[in-house]
């Protein structure tokens, strides 16, 4: 149909494919039975008791439970170092912990507390245990990273999942190690199997543009780096019970548990941790409410700009801010433009690009277009949500695994050039699908680039048999999504003076009978009427005009100035207010009014 000529090239024969390397070992039997070798001088391991002793002359003092240093670590740039340890906790589980050189040298008590909190028995003092850790001299070295998502170095391209597990073609002893904050990881990210997810979540999503878009957007996040995109966000809005939360559940099930979707109530630090956890991944946030507007506007910019706050360490030295890149999906009952309007605030145009409003309630059954054999959309939605809660976290890692394989292949540059060329073609195709009346500029193309990335993700995942859709489901479904978004934005971003004038024109047309015609000899009923007109001039009560303008522009004073600058408002003599006083013949109290030039306000036809 659209892009049937595109095919991913096969991987070369005998190519080492990526496998999942667990962040924590699954079997501790071998570690328990062996005698820990390579201990630093002055220490011994007693296999019978599973204890490491500290040798002090002829005395033996218990220091800690079973522990050994596996390797020394460094980041890709060589500017940070750490040690990787394995140990057995009180419940006989084997665990791994990394300790940075900075922690070990400057905050040894925190290091001891970290091991103790993870279940290692420590019998000696904090100083004795820290000295033991410093004494290790491992021969084997490995690379480390503090971020989930893509890791790239001269030796390997890997992808760190939100569980801390690593997708890499390297062997266990050489794979990169995640050393970031453990609280930035998801403890439970998978349930069910990929085949069940395909059958019970992805297959019912076919022929439903909103669901196809949401799932494709979730898969698109690892492609952002490959396509050199900065990420993007979408507000999926519709009326209550139209299916927007179910749509978000379907997207979230690609990478993890939908039950873990965060809310908009939170601090900037909390959102920074959540954004880091979602680097090169989907960042889903549930149900934006109008009351969240004041606190959340800055957070939206903060998240979608992809950079954390500037900070210093305890020595007041500058620390590099955190960086991330992701796809943001959130839901709301209204467009963000409506939230701002109701709050009587002007919506920054940049926000319409960073978090694009998409009304997904425009299909046959609200957010759904095809509900199959279900008798109504509610039952379809309930079953789909239940399936998302039972089968999740398989499709995203499977897709990332395929991308890791491609990134490590000898012909990866040619493959990625082909993918970038496909992305350019799809962006142009989406642009051509937008109604000609909408003039596309840079901000439009920024969002179209991200939508095209979603199409590429859906297309690639279908070709890789991760999605059970037909070959062109993604492009066929995302075209109407692009149209809905573009039409909605074209209305929202009309320049303020134009929006104000159109609103004022519409209001006057609807209320012509509430203005007295002085040329026809009509008298003015000042309490009932809005004003009067004569000889192409319209006088409207000041409070009334300010109220009309305030529905469009939060600052009524700024709105009046815009009308003055456009030549519509004829200034009067009331100091700097631009107002006139009604003559005593019309109103004894001489009500304050604004005078408008009807020939400029209605250049084509006079509504009176």
């Amino acid at each position: 149909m659209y892009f049937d000529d595109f095919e991913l090239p096969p991987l070369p024969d005998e190519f080492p494919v990526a496998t999942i390397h667990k962040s924590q070992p699954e079997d501790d039997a071998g570690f328990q039975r062996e005698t820990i070798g390579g201990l630093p001088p002055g220490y011994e391991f007693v296999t019978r008791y599973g204890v490491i002793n500290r040798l002090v002359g002829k005395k033996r003092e218990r220091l800690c439970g079973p522990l050994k240093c596996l390797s020394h670590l460094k980041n890709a740039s060589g500017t940070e170092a750490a040690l990787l340890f394995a140990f057995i906790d009180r419940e006989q589980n084997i665990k791994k912990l990394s300790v940075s050189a900075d922690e070990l040298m400057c905050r040894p008590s925190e290091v001891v507390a970290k091991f103790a909190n993870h279940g290692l028995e420590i019998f000696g003092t904090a100083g004795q245990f820290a000295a033991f850790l410093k004494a290790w001299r491992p021969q084997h070295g490995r690379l480390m990273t503090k971020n989930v998502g893509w890791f790239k170095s001269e030796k390997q391209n890997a992808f760190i999942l939100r569980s801390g597990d690593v997708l890499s073609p390297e062997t266990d002893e050489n794979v990169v190690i995640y050393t970031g904050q453990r609280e930035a990881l998801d403890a439970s990210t998978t349930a069910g199997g990929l085949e069940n997810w395909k059958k019970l979540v992805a297959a019912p999503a076919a022929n439903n543009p909103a669901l196809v878009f949401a799932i494709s957007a979730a898969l698109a996040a690892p492609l952002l780096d490959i396509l050199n995109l900065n990420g993007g966000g979408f507000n999926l809005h519709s009326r209550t019970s139209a299916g927007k939360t179910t749509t978000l559940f379907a997207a979230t099930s690609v990478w993890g548990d939908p039950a873990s979707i965060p809310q908009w109530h939170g601090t900037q630090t909390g959102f920074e941790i959540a954004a880091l956890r979602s680097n090169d991944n989907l960042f889903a946030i549930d149900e934006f409410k109008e009351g969240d507007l004041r606190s959340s506007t800055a957070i939206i910019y903060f998240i979608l700009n992809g950079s954390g706050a500037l900070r210093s360490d305890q020595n007041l030295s500058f620390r590099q801010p955190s960086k991330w890149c992701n796809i943001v999906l959130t839901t709301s009952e209204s467009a963000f433009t409506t939230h701002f309007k109701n709050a009587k605030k002007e919506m920054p145009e940049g926000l319409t690009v960073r978090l694009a409003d998409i009304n997904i309630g425009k299909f046959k059954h609200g957010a759904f277009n095809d509900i199959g054999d279900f008798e109504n959309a509610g039952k379809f939605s309930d079953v789909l949500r239940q399936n998302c809660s039972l089968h999740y976290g398989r499709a995203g890692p499977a897709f990332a695994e395929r991308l890791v394989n491609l990134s490590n292949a000898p012909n990866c540059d040619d493959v990625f050039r082909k993918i970038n060329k496909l992305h350019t073609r799809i962006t142009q195709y989406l642009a051509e699908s937008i109604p000609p009346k909408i003039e596309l500029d840079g901000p439009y193309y920024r969002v179209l680039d991200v939508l095209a990335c979603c199409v590429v993700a859906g297309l690639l995942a279908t070709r890789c048999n991760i999605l059970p859709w037909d070959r062109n489901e993604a492009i066929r479904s995302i075209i109407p999504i692009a149209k809905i978004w573009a039409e909605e934005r074209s209305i929202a971003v009309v320049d303020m003076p134009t929006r104000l004038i159109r609103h004022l024109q519409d209001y006057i047309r609807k209320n012509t009978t509430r203005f007295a015609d002085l040329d026809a000899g009509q008298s003015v009923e000042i309490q009932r009427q809005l004003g009067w007109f004569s000889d192409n001039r319209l006088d409207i009560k000041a409070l009334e005009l300010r109220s009309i303008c305030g529905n469009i522009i939060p600052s009524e004073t700024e709105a009046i100035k815009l009308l003055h600058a456009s030549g519509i408002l004829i200034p009067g003599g009331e100091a700097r207010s631009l107002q006139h006083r009604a003559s005593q013949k019309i109103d004894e109290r001489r009500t304050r009014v604004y005078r408008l030039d009807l020939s400029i306000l209605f250049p084509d036809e006079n509504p009176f």
Side-chain angles (χ1 to χ4, degrees):
M1 188 179 174
Y2 303 111
F3 301 100
D4 286 336
D5 59 330
F6 180 81
E7 289 291 349
L8 278 175
L11 293 173
D13 292 337
E14 300 181 359
F15 178 74
V17 297
T19 56
I20 293 181
H21 301 265
K22 294 291 185 180
S23 63
Q24 296 293 347
E26 296 178 322
D27 180 16
D28 64 345
F31 184 63
Q32 279 186 305
R33 286 194 296 266
E34 72 173 345
T35 298
I36 298 177
L39 284 170
Y43 301 90
E44 68 174 7
F45 176 66
V46 183
T47 307
R48 180 179 177 183
Y49 300 108
V51 170
I52 292 177
N53 289 331
R54 175 172 170 262
L55 305 179
V56 184
K58 295 182 179 180
K59 295 173 57 179
R60 286 169 169 78
E61 298 178 354
R62 291 195 306 169
L63 180 63
C64 64
L67 177 147
K68 66 178 178 181
C69 186
L70 301 179
S71 60
H72 62 82
L73 308 173
K74 66 175 182 178
N75 63 0
S77 61
T79 57
E80 296 180 11
L83 293 174
L84 179 65
F85 294 92
F87 64 93
I88 297 175
D89 68 9
R90 290 182 177 85
E91 298 177 353
Q92 300 304 300
N93 299 311
I94 189 168
K95 294 182 177 179
K96 289 180 182 177
L97 268 183
S98 62
V99 180
S100 71
D102 178 64
E103 288 178 307
L104 198 54
M105 300 305 294
C106 301
R107 301 185 299 279
S109 59
E110 294 181 14
V111 173
V112 178
K114 180 193 290 190
F115 277 93
N117 287 333
H118 282 80
L120 176 66
E121 289 186 294
I122 301 175
F123 308 106
T125 66
Q128 291 169 350
F129 183 73
F132 170 58
L133 299 183
K134 293 177 184 178
W136 283 92
R137 297 293 184 270
Q139 299 300 311
H140 183 59
R142 298 167 72 173
L143 291 170
M144 67 176 181
T145 179
K146 293 182 178 180
N147 298 323
V148 299
W150 282 107
F151 172 83
K152 297 184 177 182
S153 69
E154 293 181 1
K155 295 183 177 180
Q156 63 177 301
N157 292 326
F159 193 90
I160 292 83
L161 300 174
R162 296 198 305 201
S163 61
D165 298 342
V166 180
L167 286 166
S168 172
E170 289 286 341
T171 56
D172 278 335
E173 62 269 17
N174 292 318
V175 71
V176 62
I177 295 293
Y178 173 79
T179 61
Q181 297 178 344
R182 305 307 296 183
E183 59 266 33
L185 299 177
D186 283 340
S188 176
T189 56
T190 58
L194 178 59
E195 291 305 316
N196 283 335
W197 180 85
K198 289 164 61 176
K199 178 181 177 181
L200 300 173
V201 177
N207 300 318
N208 287 287
L211 289 171
V212 169
F213 163 68
I215 291 173
S216 299
L219 289 168
L223 280 173
L224 294 170
D225 179 78
I226 294 171
L227 297 174
N228 197 29
L229 298 177
N230 294 323
F234 300 92
N235 172 38
L236 311 180
H237 68 90
S238 68
R239 57 179 174 76
T240 303
S241 302
K244 55 185 179 294
T245 300
T246 299
T247 303
L248 194 63
F249 263 53
T252 308
S253 71
V254 170
W255 291 99
D257 186 358
S260 65
I261 301 175
Q263 303 289 324
W264 272 102
H265 299 292
T267 64
Q268 182 165 309
T269 301
F271 275 102
E272 181 172 339
I273 292 174
L276 278 171
R277 185 182 73 181
S278 304
N279 183 49
D280 293 326
N281 213 298
L282 172 70
F283 187 8
I285 313 172
D286 195 21
E287 195 63 30
F288 185 93
K289 295 181 173 59
E290 202 162 286
D292 299 327
L293 187 63
R294 181 176 181 180
S295 60
S296 299
T297 303
I299 290 177
I300 293 169
Y301 273 99
F302 165 77
I303 292 171
L304 291 164
N305 282 339
S307 180
L310 293 175
R311 293 186 176 91
S312 64
D313 59 20
Q314 60 185 7
N315 299 318
L316 298 182
S317 298
F318 175 73
R319 289 171 54 188
Q320 289 294 332
S322 304
K323 301 286 186 181
W324 58 82
C325 182
N326 43 36
I327 295 285
V328 177
L329 290 183
T330 188
T331 59
S332 176
E333 292 187 4
S334 305
F336 266 82
T337 51
T338 303
H339 289 308
F340 274 86
K341 181 179 178 181
N342 292 342
K344 293 189 175 181
K345 294 182 177 180
E346 182 176 347
M347 181 175 178
E349 183 178 353
L351 198 58
T352 66
V353 175
R354 285 173 171 82
L355 196 64
D357 283 315
I358 299 177
N359 185 354
I360 63 170
K362 289 193 170 186
F363 299 101
K364 187 176 180 180
H365 304 281
F368 312 122
N369 198 53
D370 182 355
I371 60 174
D373 296 330
F374 289 90
E375 58 182 276
N376 57 58
K379 290 188 176 181
F380 173 80
S381 179
D382 290 343
V383 171
L384 186 58
R385 284 182 68 170
Q386 183 180 15
N387 290 336
C388 290
S389 299
L390 296 174
H391 309 280
Y392 56 80
R394 302 294 186 184
F399 187 58
E401 180 179 333
R402 179 71 180 192
L403 294 178
V404 170
N405 288 336
L406 292 174
S407 69
N408 287 289
N411 59 339
C412 69
D413 290 340
D414 292 336
V415 174
F416 288 158
R417 270 195 294 270
K418 193 170 185 179
I419 292 176
N420 273 270
K421 186 176 180 180
L422 173 67
H423 174 259
T424 301
R425 288 175 59 196
I426 292 176
T427 300
Q428 189 57 39
Y429 194 90
L430 290 176
E432 292 170 358
S433 72
I434 304 300
K437 65 179 180 180
I438 300 174
E439 185 176 345
L440 301 181
D441 54 11
Y444 278 98
Y445 274 99
R446 176 173 171 174
V447 177
L448 288 175
D449 274 339
V450 181
L451 288 172
C453 179
C454 299
V455 176
V456 173
L459 189 151
L460 294 181
T462 301
R463 300 291 202 270
C464 297
N465 199 31
I466 295 168
L467 291 173
W469 303 336
D470 73 49
R471 295 167 63 87
N472 290 293
E473 180 66 49
I475 183 66
R476 188 168 57 241
S477 294
I478 293 178
I479 284 175
I481 293 293
K483 289 180 178 178
I484 290 171
W485 161 74
E487 290 174 353
E488 191 168 3
R489 184 179 188 274
S490 68
I491 296 171
V493 300
V494 173
D495 63 277
M496 280 299 171
T498 302
R499 289 176 61 191
L500 176 63
I501 292 170
R502 288 179 182 175
H503 180 69
L504 182 58
Q505 289 171 336
D506 290 342
Y507 185 88
I508 291 174
R509 287 191 184 101
K510 293 176 182 177
N511 292 278
T512 53
T513 59
R514 299 184 64 188
F515 291 90
D517 185 352
L518 299 184
D519 294 336
Q522 293 181 356
S523 59
V524 177
E525 299 179 37
I526 200 67
Q527 297 300 323
R528 186 181 67 85
Q529 292 179 310
L530 302 176
W532 53 90
F533 61 93
S534 173
D535 191 25
N536 267 337
R537 293 187 177 185
L538 177 75
D539 287 0
I540 182 171
K541 288 188 284 188
L543 290 177
E544 188 66 30
L545 182 62
R546 295 179 76 88
S547 175
I548 295 169
C549 293
N551 290 327
I552 299 297
I553 298 178
S555 171
E556 298 168 356
T557 301
E558 288 301 315
I560 297 300
K561 289 180 179 178
L562 284 176
L563 292 176
H564 178 225
S566 65
I568 292 173
L569 189 145
I570 302 171
E574 285 292 304
R576 297 181 180 179
S577 69
L578 305 176
Q579 296 174 357
H580 294 257
R581 286 273 195 173
S583 68
Q584 287 186 333
K585 292 182 180 180
I586 295 175
D587 175 26
E588 293 181 354
R589 297 181 180 180
R590 301 199 66 191
T591 300
R592 284 186 171 86
V593 297
Y594 286 108
R595 182 163 295 165
L596 308 181
D597 189 327
L598 289 175
S599 64
I600 298 177
L601 181 58
F602 296 99
D604 299 323
E605 44 89 23
N606 190 324
F608 299 102

